[in-house]
Amino acid sequence: MDEINGRRVRIGSHWLTDFASCNYLGLDLDREIIAAVPDYLDRWGTHPSWSRLIASPEPYGTIERTLARLLGAEDALLLPTITHIQLSVLPALVGRGALFVETHAHRTAHDGAAMTAARGATVRRFTVDRLDRLEQRLRVAPFPRLICVDGIHSMTGNGPPLAELLAVARAHDALLYVDDAHGFGIVGERHPDESSPYGDRGNGIVRHLGETYDNLILVGGFSKAYSSLLAFVACPTEVKDYLKTAAGPYIFSGPSPVASLATALVGLQINERRGDELRARLHGLTATVLDGLRRLGVGTLNTSGFPIIEIPLTDTGRADELGRFLFDRGVFASVVPFPVVPRDQVGVRIQVTAANTAQEIDELLSVLEAAAARFPLMAPAQPPPTVPPPTVPPPTVPAPTVPPPTIPPPTGRHPTGRDPVS
């Protein structure tokens, strides 16, 4: 990438529209957030050198408290990335017990499972369409028992059968670990007056599906919706305290840069003020793409209406050719090969963000129409997905009755004596 301009990107002399971005809310381009960063740099420098075990800058605590209130969880622990979390938190929680990883969970979860197995745990795979087999294995599994699944899936854009998984976990004294990297900030709690079928507040798949945190650990990140290098584990305070002594990245890793702490802090404020407006816009743009694909007779694995749209090829050997076709016509999208996805799902993934324009969506559909005439794309398998509003409020932890504290810009003087940037 040589240059960006909104969701337009330049590679060499070739301009394309970016449909591979995970910055779903468009906060990477938000001028209010960008303008806030210099104050934090002046206060804290560019990067604290301490691991969090040695010294934890105050913004971490503010983010963790605000995040726990937003999620409706007891507590939260911040680490730099979800990859750090998968490789350290999974082994720490399982010990020499049993870990069950859903076959289609993110690759980093399977890497974490390998680390867990290397430390003496029993590790097995399962699929969500055969929970009866999972139950059979749980009955004889050693303790502690942990079930690992994705929240909003990074390829299909669909959510998990959370209620069924939680029922299995609670019946067998297991912990359900949900990686909601692509759901946090996008989907949230539902109610009759919600701003869109994505729900409100962007507080993740647990609240979106009306569940509680009993027997559940939620993992998510700020790198998607909030465009910040930061990730979290939402868990009981007792588990948080344990992870501070058992999770390697907390003890040994360098922390997130100050700019990422700043963008997360200000992003949380913006989420409270106008996040629902951004999510409603994102829903509308995504719905336009999905409706357009159906009119073109093109199928997708997306049955949720969420902004990740994978279009499989019936001739998977032409995936690179399809990617080049889109690239040449100004569409930057991810070609998804085997073994990243199963062989029958190889194709191209389109991701929509609130920073895309209606004109860019129209241009995308025009290019996809040309692609459908040339490539064997999957045909639609079902009617358009609908997400009806709930008839009663979901039985979740109630939202806080007081707003989160205002996070003032940093004050004071830099150790060099320079005044903070105004």
Side-chain angles (χ1 to χ4, degrees):
M1 291 294 178
D2 295 296
E3 185 180 354
I4 69 167
N5 183 1
R7 278 291 174 265
R8 298 275 291 164
V9 297
R10 180 174 62 83
I11 301 174
S13 61
H14 188 44
W15 281 94
L16 307 96
T17 301
D18 183 6
F19 288 103
S21 173
C22 292
N23 293 308
Y24 296 114
L25 297 184
L27 296 185
D28 58 316
L29 304 172
D30 190 282
R31 299 311 306 178
E32 181 180 349
I33 292 178
I34 293 170
V37 171
D39 282 346
Y40 289 90
L41 296 180
D42 202 72
R43 171 74 171 176
W44 294 99
T46 61
H47 186 250
S49 65
W50 320 290
S51 73
R52 288 201 66 196
L53 180 70
I54 295 174
S56 188
E58 187 279 332
Y60 275 106
T62 305
I63 296 170
E64 287 176 344
R65 291 188 297 272
T66 306
L67 180 60
R69 281 193 297 270
L70 174 65
L71 296 172
E74 182 178 332
D75 213 333
L77 178 69
L78 294 173
L79 293 170
T81 70
I82 292 180
T83 300
H84 281 98
I85 291 172
Q86 311 281 46
L87 295 176
S88 62
V89 171
L90 281 173
L93 292 176
V94 176
R96 293 183 178 272
L99 171 61
F100 298 87
V101 184
E102 211 279 327
T103 300
H104 300 106
H106 195 271
R107 169 62 186 267
T108 57
H110 291 279
D111 290 342
M115 293 281 287
T116 305
R119 298 187 183 186
T122 299
V123 176
R124 297 286 185 270
R125 293 184 180 185
F126 75 98
T127 57
V128 291
D129 59 346
R130 289 305 306 267
L131 294 184
D132 55 329
R133 293 181 180 176
L134 174 63
E135 288 198 88
Q136 291 172 7
R137 293 176 175 175
L138 278 168
R139 292 189 187 103
V140 296
F143 290 97
R145 300 165 173 175
L146 190 143
I147 304 165
C148 175
V149 299
D150 276 357
I152 302 303
H153 194 266
S154 62
M155 296 296 166
T156 67
N158 301 325
L162 193 60
E164 292 87 343
L165 285 161
L166 274 170
V168 169
R170 291 163 181 165
H172 297 280
D173 197 16
L175 190 64
L176 181 64
Y177 173 107
V178 181
D179 170 9
D180 200 29
H182 291 265
F184 170 64
I186 308 306
V187 301
E189 58 196 61
R190 307 208 59 201
H191 55 85
D193 297 325
E194 62 197 12
S195 58
S196 81
Y198 289 177
D200 287 343
R201 306 191 70 211
N203 45 11
I205 192 68
V206 177
R207 298 297 301 272
H208 184 73
L209 296 180
E211 290 295 340
T212 70
Y213 290 89
D214 296 337
N215 290 70
L216 188 145
I217 298 287
L218 181 69
V219 169
F222 285 79
S223 65
K224 307 297 192 291
Y226 286 83
S227 309
S228 306
L229 183 67
L230 201 61
F232 66 85
V233 184
C235 57
T237 302
E238 183 178 11
V239 174
K240 174 180 177 176
D241 291 341
Y242 165 67
L243 291 176
K244 286 182 177 181
T245 65
Y250 189 90
I251 304 167
F252 301 110
S253 175
S256 295
V258 168
S260 283
L261 298 179
T263 53
L265 281 165
V266 182
L268 286 167
Q269 294 176 332
I270 287 176
N271 179 64
E272 285 294 320
R273 297 200 315 269
R274 49 186 172 90
D276 290 340
E277 176 185 341
L278 293 171
R279 281 179 283 274
R281 173 175 172 77
L282 177 61
H283 170 263
L285 294 172
T286 305
T288 299
V289 175
L290 291 170
D291 290 343
L293 289 175
R294 282 186 289 271
R295 288 195 304 272
L296 296 174
V298 175
T300 171
L301 301 177
N302 184 308
T303 61
S304 64
F306 299 145
I308 302 171
I309 304 167
E310 186 184 349
I311 304 171
L313 279 158
T314 56
D315 179 357
T316 59
R318 300 185 68 183
D320 286 345
E321 185 185 351
L322 172 60
R324 172 56 64 180
F325 180 90
L326 298 178
F327 184 93
D328 289 344
R329 286 154 182 79
V331 171
F332 185 71
S334 303
V335 175
V336 189
F338 174 85
V340 176
V341 294
R343 291 186 189 277
D344 62 351
Q345 295 181 12
V346 169
V348 64
R349 180 180 63 173
I350 303 292
Q351 288 165 262
V352 184
T353 78
N356 285 118
T357 66
Q359 180 180 347
E360 289 169 351
I361 298 298
D362 290 342
E363 292 169 353
L364 169 68
L365 290 171
S366 178
V367 173
L368 290 175
E369 182 176 17
R374 179 167 174 175
F375 294 91
L377 304 180
M378 187 180 80
Q382 59 185 25
T386 57
V387 188
T391 55
V392 295
T396 58
V397 180
T401 55
V402 296
T406 299
I407 307 166
T411 58
R413 298 177 68 87
H414 190 276
T416 62
R418 292 184 293 110
D419 288 327
V421 177
S422 60

